[in-house]
Amino acid sequence: MRLYVHDSEGKRLVEADEDATLIEAIGVHGDSHVWAEDADEPLAADAKVGMLAGSEVAAVHVGKGQITVTVTYNGQTESKSFGPGTKIDKVLDWTLSSQGFNIPVGDRDDLVLRLSGSTEPLEPDAHIGTLVSKADTLVLDLVPGERFAG
Amino acid sequence: MEPDERALVEDLASVRFLSGVAHKYWRVVDRVGSIATFEITAPTGRQVGVRMDFAGYPGAAPTGQLWSIVDRTPLPVDVWPTGGRASQVFNPDWSQQFGGAFYFPFDRRALDGHPAWANDHTGHVWGVDKTVVDVLHLLREVLRTATGPSMKSTEDEAAS
């Protein structure tokens, strides 16, 4: 089974036997855990690769704990904790929702997330645990997507 | 195989590209040499075909056009995505003079006439660190802002 494995270094593909434990298949060491993509809690230490067979995408994150994401929009900030395997797309959904900045529906699709102070795009399938290295906080800006003119 | 085609084939096999396929962000419709056709799906569910010429890749940015996957022809202007940033990037008044090119810094025909974009849009400067994946992510981000034509009319176009 093809597994997308994300960690603080980036992402890689691993071919794994469904009967193997995720920890064995990925080679997890130390106090890191395996998190399913977009999950708030880590998987059990004996979780098997095959349990991801029904997932839309068999993607996991190797990381230690939850990450607190703080987002700034129009001078206001909102914070929430997510598992390190949470995709940028899911964080964006939260910022736009009534639990975040409650952006009117007609304005939502023009907004994007960027690392604070950066103009570099963030890939929607990037895991937030990949963006923070060894820290447990991530600071983002919610801004309109760039318009190209001239 | 020419170097540009070889580089494209390598990037189409990269983990970044395949992750986008797995997440249903895009799919390869076909590839002939350094010309590839993709179907892109925005988070809103809106889909569009794009055909891109990667001659000189990755040293040169690709150039592209909206594409009817069913008819294998350039997409008729009346069903081009409109609204938001889509109206700027898929701008028929400009792009029809340039083979349907996208009005953004990841299209070499648009880049030719806009040297200031390198300073104005530092997050979108084409270089050898950029790949087909960056182009597809930007197209998808732009497509997300489209409000027209109606989703039904584009589905009908695809089904016709």
Side-chain angles (χ1 to χ4, degrees):
Chain A
M1 180 174 170
R2 177 181 277 188
L3 263 184
Y4 291 86
V5 180
H6 301 235
D7 57 26
S8 60
E9 302 295 314
K11 59 184 171 231
R12 65 187 194 275
L13 261 176
V14 171
E15 287 292 338
D17 187 327
E18 291 194 19
D19 292 329
T21 67
L22 282 160
I23 285 176
E24 289 167 350
I26 299 167
V28 179
H29 305 288
D31 54 356
S32 292
H33 303 285
V34 180
W35 307 63
E37 187 164 78
D38 289 334
D40 289 331
E41 299 297 332
L43 295 166
D46 59 353
K48 301 273 180 72
V49 172
M51 72 166 296
L52 297 169
S55 308
E56 187 177 352
V57 179
V60 294
H61 192 96
V62 179
K64 290 184 177 172
Q66 286 198 330
I67 292 167
T68 301
V69 180
T70 299
V71 182
T72 300
Y73 173 68
N74 273 352
Q76 294 181 298
T77 61
E78 295 284 349
S79 294
K80 186 177 187 322
S81 293
F82 295 93
T86 304
K87 299 194 304 292
I88 278 291
D89 250 0
K90 186 177 176 184
V91 176
L92 177 61
D93 288 345
W94 161 70
T95 64
L96 301 174
S97 73
S98 57
Q99 284 77 48
F101 294 101
N102 198 23
I103 306 294
V105 171
D107 298 335
R108 290 182 178 187
D109 292 334
D110 198 37
L111 296 171
V112 296
L113 288 172
R114 300 285 184 255
L115 292 175
S116 180
S118 170
T119 59
E120 288 288 333
L122 292 173
E123 297 187 2
D125 54 342
H127 287 183
I128 59 172
T130 302
L131 302 172
V132 298
S133 188
K134 291 178 180 170
D136 58 1
T137 58
L138 178 64
V139 184
L140 301 171
D141 294 331
L142 181 66
V143 294
E146 283 191 72
R147 291 179 179 267
F148 308 110
Chain B
M1 193 180 286
E2 296 295 319
D4 48 8
E5 182 185 358
R6 190 181 312 121
L8 175 62
V9 168
E10 285 176 8
D11 287 340
L12 294 178
S14 69
V15 175
R16 287 179 70 212
F17 183 86
L18 295 175
S19 177
V21 174
H23 284 95
K24 298 184 171 57
Y25 295 165
W26 51 67
R27 68 181 179 93
V28 179
V29 177
D30 63 34
R31 181 187 65 79
V32 178
S34 61
I35 296 177
T37 303
F38 304 93
E39 184 175 61
I40 300 171
T41 304
T44 55
R46 185 178 296 277
Q47 292 183 313
V48 74
V50 296
R51 186 171 187 254
M52 287 193 273
D53 176 355
F54 291 86
Y57 178 87
T63 185
Q65 60 184 318
L66 294 169
W67 194 253
S68 169
I69 292 167
V70 175
D71 297 332
R72 299 183 180 188
T73 59
L75 191 69
V77 169
D78 62 347
V79 287
W80 282 22
T82 57
R85 297 162 70 197
S87 290
Q88 293 186 316
V89 172
F90 311 127
N91 174 356
D93 292 337
W94 176 86
S95 72
Q96 287 188 110
Q97 308 166 58
F98 299 97
F102 306 131
Y103 192 75
F104 66 19
F106 287 169
D107 189 303
R108 63 173 178 263
R109 284 192 263 200
L111 203 50
D112 276 348
H114 297 88
W117 279 356
N119 290 324
D120 297 343
H121 303 291
T122 54
H124 294 92
V125 179
W126 186 264
V128 290
D129 61 323
K130 295 292 189 288
T131 77
V132 56
V133 175
D134 298 284
V135 183
L136 293 173
H137 275 309
L138 181 56
L139 281 167
R140 194 168 169 269
E141 190 180 281
V142 168
L143 186 63
R144 171 174 160 245
T145 71
T147 54
S150 73
M151 302 278 263
K152 183 170 187 323
S153 68
T154 53
E155 287 165 6
D156 289 347
E157 204 273 334
S160 66

